Every structure is written in C-alpha cells, then in structure tokens.
Amino acid sequence: MSAERLPTDWKSDAMRKRIARRYAAERRFKLAGLLAVALSAAFLAFLLFTMVGNGIRGFTRTEIALKVDFPASPLLLDPANITDEALANANLPMVTSAVAQKVLGKDADAMISPSAWIAIRDAIKADPNILSRTETIDIPAATAIDLAAKSKGAPEAEAQVARLRQAGLLATGLNWGFLTASDGTDPTQVGIWGAFKGSLLTMLVTLLLSFPIGVATALYLEEYARKSWWTDIIEVSINNLAAVPSIIFGLLGLSIFLNLLNLPRSAALVGGMTLALMTMPVIVIAGRNAIKSVPPSIRDAALGIGASPVQVVFQHVLPLALPGILTGTIIGMARALGETAPLLMIGMRAFIATPPGGVTDPATVLPVQIFLWSDEVSKGFVEKTSAAIIVLLAFLLAMNGLAIYLRNKFEKRW
Amino acid sequence: MTGPAILLLLAGLGAIAWVSARARALRLAGVARASGRRDAVHSLPGYHGWYVALWTLIPAGIFLAVWANVSPGLVTQSVLADPAAQSLPMDGFSRSAILGEARAIATGAQAGAFNPAANALVEPYRSALSHYGIAGAVLALVLAFAGGAYAFTRVRPDFRARTRVERLVMATLLIASLLAIITTLGIVASLLWESFRFFSMVNPIDFLFGTKWSPQSAAMGYGNEDAFGAVPLFWGTIFIGAIIAMIVAIPLGLMSAIYLTQYASPTVRKWMKPTLEMLAGVPTVVYGYFAALTIAPALRDFAVMIGIHGASSESALAAGLVMGVMIIPFVSSMADDSIAAVPQSMRDGSLAMGATTSETISRVLIPAALPGVVGGVLLAVSRAIGETMIVVMAAGLAANLTLNPFASVTTVTTQIVQLLTGDQEFDSAKTLAAFALGLVLFIVTLLLNIVALRVVKKYREAYE
C-alpha cells in the first residue's frame, strides 16, 4: 500500500493559479466557439448586404424627361393611322436621336439609352393624339448616366448628370422592364422574365418527373420490398446518386439525352429531366423517413379490418406521410432551382432574348442568366446581376420558409 | 387526327369505361347480395372500374407510343414511292434536307420553301401524313375498344379485379425504384464509353501523370502528346477543395457545432442553427459571383500591398475561402450529430471528476466523436472537389502547378465546363477529355463517400 495522500490544499497559491489558468482556458474556448458562430453569421450577413446593396439599384432606373415637340419633329406619322408597320417605318431611333440632340445638346446620344425610342413609340401607341402637341416623355438614360446618377460614374458622365440635374430633367423611376423583359445586349433594357419563365418550365418538368417516381420508389422500398441483394443495390444507388457532383449529371444529360436520344438542346425539357435525376434521390430519402415515422399500429389496424397491403399504403400511410414528403420535395426543388453547372453542360447558356413558349423551346434559367451577366464587360450589368440574385434568393427563401412552415404545421408526435 | 386530340379522346374513353364498369359491378354485386351469396362479391366496384379503364388505356397507349416512332419512317417511305420523288438527288444530305423541308411545310411548321424541289413533295407528304395519322388513330381506338370490351365481359361479382389492379400498382412501384439503378448505370456507361474513346487517342498514363495541360494547343493541331496532362488540374482541385476550403471550414464548422451544442442557450441555438444552414442553401452561382466580384479583387489588392508577386485577380485563395464558408454547415451538422451521439454518461463522468467544460469537450467528447467528425470532413471534401460554379467564376483557367494561394489555378470541374461549352465535336480529344475528367471526379467522390459512410456507420454501431 502506498503512503497516505495528503488532502489537496485548494487555498495554496499554486493551486489557485492553476485553477485560474484552467478557467481562463475555458473562457477562451467558449469565446472561440462564439467567434466561429459569429464569423459564419457575419459572412452570411456580408454576402446578403453586398448583394442587396449592389442589386437594389438594379430595380430602379434613371429617366430623362425629354420634351418632344412632335409637330416640329421630322416624324412622318398620321395620327389616324398608327399601326405597328407605320411605326416601324417611321425611323424612330433616328428621330429620337435628332430630338434629343435639339433638346439636350450635341452629346445627347451619349446620354440617352440606345433603346430610348421604344419609350416614344409606346407613348405614341398609347395616345396617337400627342403627335399634334408638345409632350414630355420620360426616356431611359444611358448606362453611364444611370451609374453616375445612382452612385459614382465617369467624370464626363458626372458632369452631364450635374447639368441635367440643374435643368431638373433627371428622375428615378421603378424599372418595370427588369421584371418583364428578357436578356439583351443593352443593360438598360434587359430583364429577367425570360430566364424566370425558363426556370418555371424547368421546375415544372423536374417536379412532374421526380415527385411521382421518388414517392413510388420510397413506398416500394419502405413498405413492400423484402430485404435482398436486389433492394440493397437500389438503396446503394440512391444514396450514391444523392452524393454525385451535380456536374456529372450534366455530363449524363449531354451524352444520353442530347447525343443519344437527340432531344432539343437548351430546352427546358432536357434541363428538367437532368435536374429530376438529381432531385429524385432527395425526395426518396425524405419520403422514406416520412413513411418510416408513420406508426405500425395504423398499418396493423387497417390490415386487421381486411384492407389489402396496397389499400393500407395508399389510403392510410401515404396521406399521413405526405406532409413530410412535401417538405423534402420543396427542399429538393429549391436545390434544383439554384443549380447551374449541369444546365451549362446541356447548352442552356445560349443568348435567348425571347421567353420560351414551351418546354421544347430554347430557354435559360435564372442562375444561368446570373452566370452569363456576371461575364458581361459592361458596367451596367453588375447591378443587374445582383438584382437577379436578389430575386433568386427571395424565391429560395420563400421555398425554404414554406418547407419549415409545413414541417411545423404538420409535424406529429405519435 | 392530331396527337392531343387522340389523347383527349382516349382519356374520355377511359373515363367512360371506369364509370360504366363501376356501375355494372355495383349492379351485379347488388344482385349477388340480394340472392344471399354475400361471399360471392370479391372487389369493390371502384376496382372493377379501374380494371376496365386500364385495359382500355394501356394497350392503346403502348400502341401510340410505338406508332409515334414508327410512322415517320412509313410516311417517308410512302413519299419516296410517289412519282414526284423520282427527281430527288441521290446524295443523302441534300435529299434529307429537301424531305425535311417538305415535311415542315406539310405540317405547317414552315411557310415557304427555300428549295423549289421541296414544293412538289408537299402534297404527297400531306396525304401520306393524314393517311397514316388516320390509320394510327383508328388502330388505337380499335385497341381501346377491344381492350375495354374484353375487360368489361370479365366484370363479375366473384372476379378478383382488386388483385389485378394492385399487381399493376406494384409493378409500377418496382419500375420507379429501378430508375435509380438505370441512372447510375447510365452515368457509369456514358462516362466509361466517352472516356474509352478519349483514351484511344491519349495514353491514360500521360493523362493521369502528365504535368502540362493545354487542350487548346491539341485542338489546334499540335498533336495530343503531353497536352492532356491532368496533374495541374488535380492539384488545383485538391489545393482549393481539400486544403484552403478545409482550413476555413473545419475550425469554423467544428467550433460552431461545439458552441451551439455545449454552450449556447436554447434560444440562441434555435436561431443560429437555421441561420448557419442558410449558408448551404445559397446557390453556388451566387457564391461564385460574390467571390469574383468582392473577395478576389480585395485579396489581390492585399497581396500587392504585402508585396507578393504573381497575385492574380482570379486566385485559389478567393475560391477556396468562399467554398470553405459554403462548406461550414456540412461540417458543423455532421460534428453536431456525432457529438450528440456520445453517451451523456461520458460527459457527466468527466464533469464529475472536476474537469471544466472545455476540457471535457477537447479530451472526452471530441476523441469519442472523432470518427463521425472525420466522416463529415470527408463528405465535405467530396462536395468541395465536385463543386463547379465557385471555381469556374473565381479560380481562373491557368493550369498552374503552384503553392502560391494568390496565383490563379484551375480545377477539374472548371475544365469540364470549359471543354464542353465551346464548339462540340464529339470525335475530338479536346471534347472527350471532359468525360475522362468526369470519370476521375466520379470515382474519387464515390470513394470518398463510401469511406466516409463506412467510418460513420462503424462508429455509430460502437455506441448503440
């Protein structure tokens, strides 16, 4: 037996120092943890603030109030006969430029947007009678002026803005065109509607394919399949597919859907099919968890009063598991909505200036549009890109919010 | 008859079949019950309805699907048999161009012909199209009626309609679940096939161990020798995804998980956990744009300020930092799970011995949870090296074999995008190289995932 140990003297200096040191280490450790959380959150906040700060200006545009003296202008149009053809033949771009030069000075062409004549055309279309009087029409300013008016621009543009401001001609208006127009070459007139519609069509195809197949697979694996090497293979495949990098699905879509089956390039149909293969495993995994959480007593009760296994599942288990499956589906769809890489592979990065009419038309989607705009050299595209990102993030946030709401509303403790 | 019309007609027939079969089953069941033979009724009337409706729809549907693939060939054949087709050129390309144009005019997809020869063929095309269209519609309707009538005669109280319908439901479920296998096989087969074609042009050894990557020069006819050395890409991928990103993600993710599980009050935890998870929900194209627009220029200015040569506005550091932030939630949720799986008694035991919370965490909880944490890190690495948009937008295209984080490097995924978004000729080594890179990426991420899941699973079993 060893000698009897002395009791620890907690009041000794050495011990006190030791304890203080340990407590200090404890505080440092806790602080490090707090710092890690704060840093991650700060990064998220920085990202969001940068995007909103850059992008919020993309929803507005600078307009110049142009006083157009129609009778004195070199415009040859008959107020009684305003047709699309007559307007197309009236050489409006040239007339607009001439009028602007008369009102704003020699450098007017640098001040107004190359698409300014569209505003004048629309004004004439809306009310042909303005052709007989002088009318003030708000036309979009050129990108350089737009930037200089909103923040800091080139010195030359700054001077022009100062001059226009003094004359009281400059105004800032909501840019409806950003929500209703499609891709273009001039940043003052591009919009997201084409890409947004493409996204909607692609999501529709994805949902119609992945939801029924995913739910059917989950039901089969969870309710009917007996455990065998065969179901093991199915299960392993699904788990692997959920972890395969998304760009690999793009390669699959390219070589099978495009090269082998000759489906149309750049189409929402192929994009949706490719994304459906990606989304399906997510739905299967969420679906299996939801089905698993339905208590066996419900199945036993239904079987006990004579229901067949198919009736048990479709009339009792599936309705109870549906909220959980829907939550998983929304999360999978949100991921598909933000996906870019596989869609680049199947050619959805083409320049498309008209919204797609159907699932086989050439289309692009919102994230790809963001990617394309981010490559543009023109400075006006920076705020447009950020504005498109705001729209995309708002959608994702809404989808995830819906998923959380559904989970909270339907979550049951059996 | 046009496609949508015939489909609508079939749907109508199916609905009629369902209603009438159900009514008949209901009536027959009533008769059977009235005669006192209660046990003679097997299925609910609705099942008889479904049985007949399916017999009406499925054979006709299968026929239409086959017909849609067969009839264009038949139409072309009958047009070629027409006297007007005798004057067609023999050369296959212009021949099919004229035929395609005539077809487009006949279906109304195109207003006029570029090639005058096509005009003569429009009429034969139109008549052949309507001919075969009517034939297909009639055959489909005959099949629908025949199927429906056959099934209708079987509607009897003792007929086991439910069993038949349920068998079909089960078959549908089984087929759906096979799709996962087919997709996996499709990925493997397409990657292997195209890679095989690539490796017949480029030596696999040169590809895997070569250090010079310049597919552009190979495409311009300087030969394939040592233009496809992928080592710089592998290094760039590892440098960004497995080194820089993990230097950011592991400490931040692990410490976040520790703080939120061990120290934070329930309210803080409730709010911070979803906030951190939002980092994983932001689309990668947004991260890429952020890295390229904000982070990369700032880093370059910083590098120039401290006097580093070769600082590029597209740098490994910018892509890696942002990717690391994206990965934080993966690391933290895996760490969270495995720390939560450590038995409470171990934590209590350590605290009862007088250890502080941080000592308990670093000497008891973390070592016990280590396999789970390592598994989580492996999964995060697998995700990072497969990530595309951030590196495409922020890492650059120069295939550098460098240790300088401020230099531009390129990655496997960047090069796949680069190789497949220009001209696409599927017999050039340049395009096919993308599939070889994809194969390597697929194999590596698959191995990482398998190892990670094994590690996590093994550890779980030890405590349960």
Side-chain angles (χ1 to χ4, degrees):
Chain A
M1 292 300 279
S2 59
E4 198 153 302
R5 232 183 111 185
L6 284 170
T8 311
D9 180 10
W10 293 93
K11 293 206 169 76
S12 78
D13 258 7
M15 205 61 193
R16 275 188 181 169
K17 255 186 204 150
R18 208 178 127 164
I19 288 173
R21 209 170 54 235
R22 286 174 62 201
Y23 280 1
E26 166 76 19
R27 279 194 298 274
R28 278 200 301 277
F29 191 77
K30 190 175 171 182
L31 199 67
L34 184 62
L35 220 61
V37 176
L39 209 62
S40 311
F43 188 91
L44 181 69
F46 182 47
L47 173 86
L48 294 181
F49 275 121
T50 314
M51 287 306 147
V52 172
N54 281 337
I56 204 80
R57 293 196 297 263
F59 292 105
T60 62
R61 67 174 185 187
T62 310
E63 285 161 350
I64 299 174
L66 187 68
K67 210 177 209 173
V68 186
D69 185 0
F70 281 102
S73 75
L75 195 60
L76 300 168
L77 270 175
D78 176 12
N81 179 31
I82 298 296
T83 57
D84 285 345
E85 203 185 355
L87 283 168
N89 288 335
N91 203 358
L92 272 167
M94 202 106 118
V95 173
T96 306
S97 167
V99 169
Q101 280 185 16
K102 207 158 75 186
V103 178
L104 302 172
K106 274 211 188 72
D107 50 357
D109 276 341
M111 289 191 217
I112 62 169
S113 154
S115 54
W117 59 275
I118 294 175
I120 295 188
R121 185 193 66 189
D122 291 346
I124 298 175
K125 241 176 165 174
D127 178 15
N129 290 325
I130 60 170
L131 284 172
S132 55
R133 59 176 188 257
T134 303
E135 184 79 22
T136 306
I137 298 172
D138 288 332
I139 57 171
T143 304
I145 299 289
D146 193 37
L147 288 178
K150 285 172 183 169
S151 55
K152 229 173 140 45
E156 203 177 322
E158 292 272 359
Q160 287 167 339
V161 166
R163 221 178 69 215
L164 287 171
R165 276 240 166 85
Q166 212 150 38
L169 296 177
L170 225 49
T172 306
L174 203 58
N175 187 1
W176 278 115
F178 183 69
L179 295 178
T180 56
S182 293
D183 198 6
T185 46
D186 174 12
T188 57
Q189 59 163 344
V190 296
I192 55 164
W193 174 239
F196 189 69
K197 199 173 171 197
S199 271
L200 288 185
L201 287 173
T202 309
M203 289 296 106
L204 189 72
V205 175
T206 306
L207 185 67
L208 288 181
L209 285 177
S210 63
F211 184 69
I213 295 174
V215 173
T217 308
L219 283 178
Y220 178 76
L221 288 180
E222 204 53 49
E223 292 287 329
Y224 301 118
R226 260 163 283 140
K227 198 140 175 64
S228 68
W229 62 273
W230 184 234
T231 50
D232 275 351
I233 294 182
I234 298 179
E235 219 178 305
V236 168
S237 305
I238 287 168
N239 288 336
N240 278 339
L241 282 183
V244 167
S246 61
I247 193 167
I248 302 283
F249 285 96
L251 290 176
L252 172 80
L254 174 64
S255 69
I256 305 261
F257 296 149
L258 295 188
N259 288 350
L260 202 67
L261 300 181
N262 282 320
L263 291 170
R265 269 181 84 79
S266 306
L269 178 68
V270 178
M273 285 163 78
T274 308
L275 292 181
L277 295 178
M278 266 181 66
T279 314
M280 191 195 69
V282 179
I283 297 179
V284 173
I285 291 169
R288 291 187 69 176
N289 286 333
I291 293 166
K292 216 182 280 176
S293 70
V294 175
S297 58
I298 288 177
R299 296 182 185 86
D300 296 343
L303 281 172
I305 58 165
S308 73
V310 172
Q311 284 172 325
V312 170
V313 167
F314 279 88
Q315 293 171 4
H316 298 273
V317 176
L318 191 57
L320 290 171
L322 211 52
I325 301 177
L326 281 181
T327 312
T329 306
I330 294 172
I331 289 170
M333 294 300 289
R335 196 188 289 174
L337 178 62
E339 200 55 71
T340 319
L343 300 179
L344 295 182
M345 298 286 95
I346 55 161
M348 286 186 102
R349 60 181 286 160
F351 175 81
I352 288 150
T354 48
V359 289
T360 52
D361 289 352
T364 189
V365 296
L366 217 42
V368 177
Q369 185 75 79
I370 290 167
F371 176 61
L372 293 177
W373 282 351
S374 76
D375 256 3
E376 293 279 350
V377 252
S378 167
K379 267 205 154 174
F381 274 107
V382 172
E383 62 179 35
K384 300 294 173 193
T385 312
S386 302
I389 285 177
I390 293 176
V391 174
L392 180 65
L393 286 179
F395 252 86
L396 289 179
L397 221 59
M399 282 171 86
N400 285 320
L402 183 67
I404 292 171
Y405 171 77
L406 279 179
R407 184 165 17 187
N408 290 344
K409 188 170 161 73
F410 291 104
E411 194 176 44
K412 274 198 193 115
R413 299 233 175 259
W414 299 93
Chain B
M1 198 171 266
T2 57
I6 183 92
L7 288 183
L8 217 63
L9 194 64
L10 273 185
L13 277 182
I16 293 171
W18 191 84
V19 170
S20 53
R22 187 172 173 276
R24 182 177 153 88
L26 207 58
R27 198 165 45 75
L28 288 179
V31 174
R33 282 217 180 84
S35 64
R37 296 182 297 129
R38 299 184 71 91
D39 59 325
V41 181
H42 178 268
S43 305
L44 290 171
Y47 282 101
H48 288 281
W50 279 116
Y51 181 73
V52 177
L54 289 171
W55 260 106
T56 311
L57 294 177
I58 291 177
I62 292 173
F63 168 76
L64 279 180
V66 173
W67 187 249
N69 287 310
V70 171
S71 68
L74 293 177
V75 167
T76 313
Q77 253 172 31
S78 83
V79 169
L80 286 176
D82 194 89
Q86 299 303 323
S87 57
L88 273 179
M90 286 321 284
D91 147 47
F93 186 72
S94 53
R95 195 184 173 92
S96 63
I98 294 173
L99 282 174
E101 202 166 10
R103 185 189 183 83
I105 298 170
T107 54
Q110 194 177 322
F114 291 108
N115 201 323
N119 279 325
L121 289 176
V122 169
E123 247 346 281
Y125 241 120
R126 213 167 262 162
S127 72
L129 275 174
S130 78
H131 185 123
Y132 280 102
I134 289 173
V138 168
L139 279 173
L141 290 183
V142 167
L143 267 178
F145 274 111
Y150 163 72
F152 198 74
T153 57
R154 303 187 70 179
V155 175
R156 230 173 267 129
D158 61 340
F159 177 61
R160 294 171 177 259
R162 190 187 75 195
T163 321
R164 307 295 173 106
V165 173
E166 291 187 346
R167 210 174 284 163
L168 186 82
V169 172
M170 295 298 290
T172 315
L173 295 187
L174 180 65
I175 291 171
S177 65
L178 291 186
L179 222 76
I181 297 183
I182 296 173
T183 309
T184 313
L185 285 181
I187 288 177
V188 173
S190 61
L191 289 180
L192 276 179
W193 169 243
E194 310 278 6
S195 307
F196 179 74
R197 287 170 63 194
F198 173 71
F199 287 131
S200 68
M201 297 180 219
V202 176
N203 188 346
I205 307 285
D206 290 347
F207 174 71
L208 288 176
F209 300 105
T211 55
K212 188 165 160 284
W213 178 263
S214 56
Q216 205 56 49
S217 71
M220 276 162 20
Y222 295 119
N224 291 334
E225 293 83 42
D226 51 272
F228 289 103
V231 168
L233 315 190
F234 298 151
W235 167 246
T237 309
I238 292 169
F239 193 36
I240 291 179
I243 299 178
I244 299 177
M246 289 306 131
I247 288 175
V248 176
I250 294 174
L252 284 179
L254 196 55
M255 287 309 287
S256 297
I258 288 171
Y259 184 79
L260 290 180
T261 52
Q262 306 296 322
Y263 289 110
S265 66
T267 330
V268 172
R269 188 178 152 79
K270 194 180 140 209
W271 283 98
M272 287 317 288
K273 213 171 142 62
T275 307
L276 290 192
E277 275 164 6
M278 269 174 71
L279 283 173
V282 173
T284 54
V285 67
V286 177
Y287 278 119
Y289 183 63
F290 183 64
L293 189 79
T294 312
I295 304 288
L299 283 176
R300 191 207 38 216
D301 293 347
F302 173 73
V304 170
M305 200 179 75
I306 61 172
I308 290 177
H309 290 288
S312 160
S313 65
E314 288 177 322
S315 62
L317 193 55
L321 280 180
V322 173
M323 197 188 286
V325 171
M326 184 190 89
I327 299 287
I328 289 174
F330 295 94
V331 177
S332 83
S333 75
M334 286 300 283
D336 194 330
D337 286 350
S338 40
I339 289 174
V342 176
Q344 184 68 23
S345 57
M346 286 172 78
R347 187 165 181 264
D348 292 346
S350 166
L351 289 174
M353 295 288 288
T356 63
T357 316
S358 65
E359 285 160 357
T360 304
I361 292 166
S362 57
R363 307 223 178 125
V364 178
L365 293 187
I366 296 291
L370 200 59
V373 174
V374 171
V377 168
L378 287 184
L379 283 181
V381 170
S382 136
R383 207 183 157 85
I385 64 175
E387 167 46 43
T388 311
M389 294 321 291
I390 296 178
V391 288
V392 166
M393 294 165 87
L397 293 173
N400 282 330
L401 206 54
T402 174
L403 265 174
N404 177 4
F406 291 101
S408 164
V409 298
T410 194
T411 67
V412 172
T413 47
T414 310
Q415 287 303 316
I416 294 178
V417 170
Q418 212 55 37
L419 292 171
L420 284 183
T421 49
D423 58 313
Q424 289 190 359
E425 297 158 24
F426 274 84
D427 37 15
S428 84
K430 188 188 159 208
T431 313
L432 292 174
F435 286 90
L437 289 175
L439 184 65
V440 174
L441 184 65
F442 182 72
I443 293 173
V444 171
T445 50
L446 206 61
L447 286 180
L448 275 173
N449 288 325
I450 290 172
V451 171
L453 289 178
R454 276 276 158 81
V455 169
V456 174
K457 211 172 175 183
K458 206 169 173 185
Y459 151 80
R460 280 279 152 75
E461 280 164 1
Y463 282 115
E464 273 167 10

